[in-house]
Amino acid sequence: VNRTFELYEHQEGALAEMERRRAEGTRSFLAVLPTGTGKSHIVLEDLARLAQARPSARALICAPSSTIVTDWRARIERTLPHLRERIRVCTYGWVCRHYVEFAPDHFDYVVIDEAHHAVAPALKRAIQYFDPAFLVGLTATNQRPDKKRLEEVFGSYRVGLSLPEAMASSFA
C-alpha cells in the first residue's frame, strides 16, 4: 500500500479496524485516542486510499472551531493537495446552517473531529441528514458529563489506545 506518511502501530490498528468494519458493512467508525496521537493522520491515510479506489469521492470534515478547520486545511494541503477540491472542511456552526444545501448523499465520507460533540442536537441533526458511505468520528473524550452516548451517532466502538499506553509507547 502506498502511504501518505508513516503511521504508528496504533494508527495502523485503527486503519485496519476501519477497513474491517467497512468490509463487514458497517458505515461508521469512532476513533477514541488520546490528544496528540495522530487521529487526523488515520483519516488522511483513509482518504488517500478512498481516492485511489473512488477517484470522484467527496469528503466533508467538520470541526468545532475555525482554528481546527485551519489546521485540517493545512494538513490536507501538505499531504493530499490533489484532493483539496474534493474535501470540504468546515465548522460545526457552518454545517448546522448549510447542510440542507447538499443532497444527503453528496459526501461519500464524513468526518466529525472532536466527535464527543456529535450528540448535541443541532450537530446530530446535521450529521444524521447525510448518508455517506462512511462516517468517522475522532475524539480523545468518549465520556460526556451529560451521559449522552456517542453510540447514538457512531454505533459501537472501542478505545484504541489509552493515555497511559500512549505515554509508555515509543510514540510519546
Side-chain angles (χ1 to χ4, degrees), residues 8 24 27 34 41 61 63 65 68 89-90 105 118-119 140 143 163:
Y8 290 97
E24 293 174 348
R27 296 179 55 192
H41 289 168
I61 299 173
S65 70
I68 297 173
V89 185
C90 63
D105 64 352
V119 292
Q143 303 296 317
L163 183 56

Side-chain angles (χ1 to χ4, degrees), residues 79-137:
T79 60
L80 303 172
H82 58 291
L83 299 180
R84 71 177 165 260
E85 298 302 318
R86 294 200 329 255
I87 302 172
R88 178 179 290 267
V89 185
C90 63
T91 63
Y92 296 165
W94 189 92
V95 80
C96 289
R97 289 188 307 275
H98 297 279
Y99 69 93
V100 295
E101 296 171 14
F102 299 92
D105 64 352
H106 182 80
F107 297 103
D108 303 284
Y109 193 98
V110 173
V111 178
I112 307 301
D113 198 354
E114 304 293 337
H116 50 280
H117 297 293
V119 292
L123 183 57
K124 182 177 176 183
R125 184 171 37 258
I127 294 166
Q128 291 180 335
Y129 169 83
F130 290 112
D131 187 27
F134 206 60
L135 169 67
V136 178

